[in-house]
Amino acid sequence: MTGTIMDAHADGTDPMPSVTILDGGLSTALEQQGIAVDGALWTARLLADEPERIAQAHRDFFEAGADVATTATYQASEQGFLAAGFEAAHARALIRRGVRLARDARDELESVRPGLRVAASVGPYGAVLGDGSEYRGGYGISAARLRDFHRARLELLAEAGPDLFAVETIPDVEEAAVLVGLLDEIGIPAWFSYSVRGTATCAGQPLADAYAALADSSVLIAAGVNCSDQADVRAAISTSVQVTGLPGVVYPNRGGHWDSATKAWSGVHAVDHALIEGWMDAGARYIGGCCGYGPADIAGLAKAVASVLR
C-alpha cells in the first residue's frame, strides 16, 4: 500500500501502481446486520447502544479485503450527542470510542494482515444537522463558527490515535478551506474528498477551484471524491490529480436520491467495475465504496482492482 503515485520507469513505461482498498458504507454494513440506521445520530447512535455491531462491521470489511477501516464518527459530534440527551463527558468519550473500535478490529488481524489502517471519519457540518444540507453546502454560518465546530471534533478524534483522517463528503469550498487550515494545525495525515455533481461541487463551485483549496496543504496524502455517482468520478479525479498533484481517492455511492427524512437511498444501481481501470488511469490510488457498498461489494471491488493490476 502506498499514498504516492509511482514514478515512470527509466524506459518510459509506467510501473504497476499500488492501490489501497478502502471499506464501504458503514451504514450499509450495519443495515445488512439487521440494524435500523435512522434518527438524528445515524450510525453514531450505535457507539452508545451497540458498539459491538460497529466492531463487527469493521471486521467484515477487513475480511472482505479492505485495507482501511473508516470510523463511525461521520455524523458524531459533541453537539449532536448533547442534543440527544447525553452528558458532555460521555459524548466526548463516545467520539473517541469510534476510533478505538476500529483500532481494536485492526489489531485483531495484525498477525494475518499487517499494515491495516484506521481513518477517523470527519463529515461536513451539514451531516450533523441531518437535514440533507451535507449534499448542498452553503449553511449560512460564518467561517469562525464552522472552525469552532470542526476543531473540537478533530481534536477529540486525534486524541484517540487514528492513523489518518478521512475528511469526506464535503459539499463546498468554503468548508474545505476551514478544514484544511485545521488539518494542517493538527498535523495528522488525511485524505480529503468532495461530494460532486458533474464537474462541480454539490454547492455548485467548479471542481478546479475546489481542489485548488487543497493544493498547499502539508498533511493531505490524497484528494478526490466520495458519496457521488460513479459516472462523475473520473472527471473529478482527473481534475483533483492535475490541480493538487496528490494521489486520487475514490469511493462513490450507488447513485440514487438521499431522503433526509427517512435516512434512506432510492433508485440505486449496480456497481460498474468496468469503470475502475479508468479511475486508476486518472490517478486513483485509494479506492472503495460509500453508501450502498457492503462488505460483499468491497470484496468484488478488490477483485476488480486486482484484475486491473495483473
Side-chain angles (χ1 to χ4, degrees):
M1 297 183 293
T2 181
T4 60
I5 297 178
M6 301 172 70
D7 295 330
H9 288 146
D11 63 5
T13 62
D14 290 331
M16 194 68 71
S18 179
V19 174
T20 296
I21 302 297
L22 308 181
D23 59 6
L26 185 62
S27 62
T28 302
L30 291 167
E31 288 168 346
Q32 290 175 356
Q33 292 183 34
I35 300 296
V37 181
D38 53 18
L41 291 175
W42 203 37
T43 58
R45 173 185 66 81
L46 298 172
L47 291 171
D49 297 346
E50 298 182 82
E52 176 52 33
R53 295 287 196 167
I54 293 172
Q56 185 60 54
H58 291 319
R59 288 192 291 268
D60 290 344
F61 278 125
F62 278 142
E63 290 168 3
D67 301 312
V68 180
T70 309
T71 64
T73 54
Y74 173 79
Q75 200 163 353
S77 70
E78 185 174 348
Q79 151 187 339
F81 280 121
L82 290 174
F86 291 84
E87 297 293 331
H90 192 193
R92 292 190 291 270
L94 289 174
I95 292 170
R96 291 189 290 262
R97 177 183 286 176
V99 177
R100 193 188 74 236
L101 290 170
R103 289 182 57 182
D104 288 348
R106 176 201 64 191
D107 294 346
E108 288 173 17
L109 295 171
E110 178 64 25
S111 63
V112 292
R113 291 197 64 202
L116 298 176
R117 286 179 280 178
V118 169
S121 175
V122 180
Y125 177 77
V128 175
L129 300 179
D131 60 359
S133 61
E134 65 194 287
Y135 297 106
R136 298 190 301 269
Y139 311 120
I141 63 174
S142 68
R145 184 173 170 189
L146 269 180
R147 183 179 175 86
D148 289 344
F149 168 79
H150 281 301
R151 176 187 285 281
R153 186 164 55 151
L154 286 167
E155 289 177 345
L156 278 173
L157 291 169
E159 289 172 10
D163 298 303
L164 68 161
F165 287 126
V167 183
E168 49 189 2
T169 328
I170 305 304
D172 68 52
V173 70
E174 285 82 7
E175 188 167 20
V178 168
L179 279 160
V180 168
L182 290 170
L183 291 169
D184 284 346
E185 290 176 18
I186 292 171
I188 291 177
W191 78 62
F192 195 109
S193 56
Y194 285 101
S195 56
V196 309
R197 293 191 185 95
T199 59
T201 66
C202 281
Q205 299 126 341
L207 288 183
D209 295 342
Y211 289 117
L214 314 180
D216 295 328
S217 171
S218 62
V219 297
L220 293 186
I221 62 168
V225 58
N226 82 290
C227 209
S228 304
D229 193 287
Q230 57 189 357
D232 292 333
V233 164
R234 183 164 184 172
I237 285 298
S238 294
T239 302
S240 175
V241 171
Q242 290 168 9
V243 173
T244 69
L246 294 168
V249 58
V250 171
Y251 48 118
N253 60 37
R254 296 184 65 169
H257 170 72
W258 173 251
D259 187 324
S260 60
T262 63
K263 302 291 191 296
W265 291 88
S266 61
V268 299
H269 50 63
V271 179
D272 186 357
H273 290 158
L275 297 173
I276 291 174
E277 186 169 6
W279 300 347
M280 292 170 62
D281 287 345
R285 297 296 179 263
Y286 295 77
I287 302 177
C290 201
C291 300
Y293 280 72
D297 298 301
I298 294 302
L301 183 146
K303 290 178 181 177
V305 169
S307 178
V308 173
L309 292 173
R310 281 199 291 270

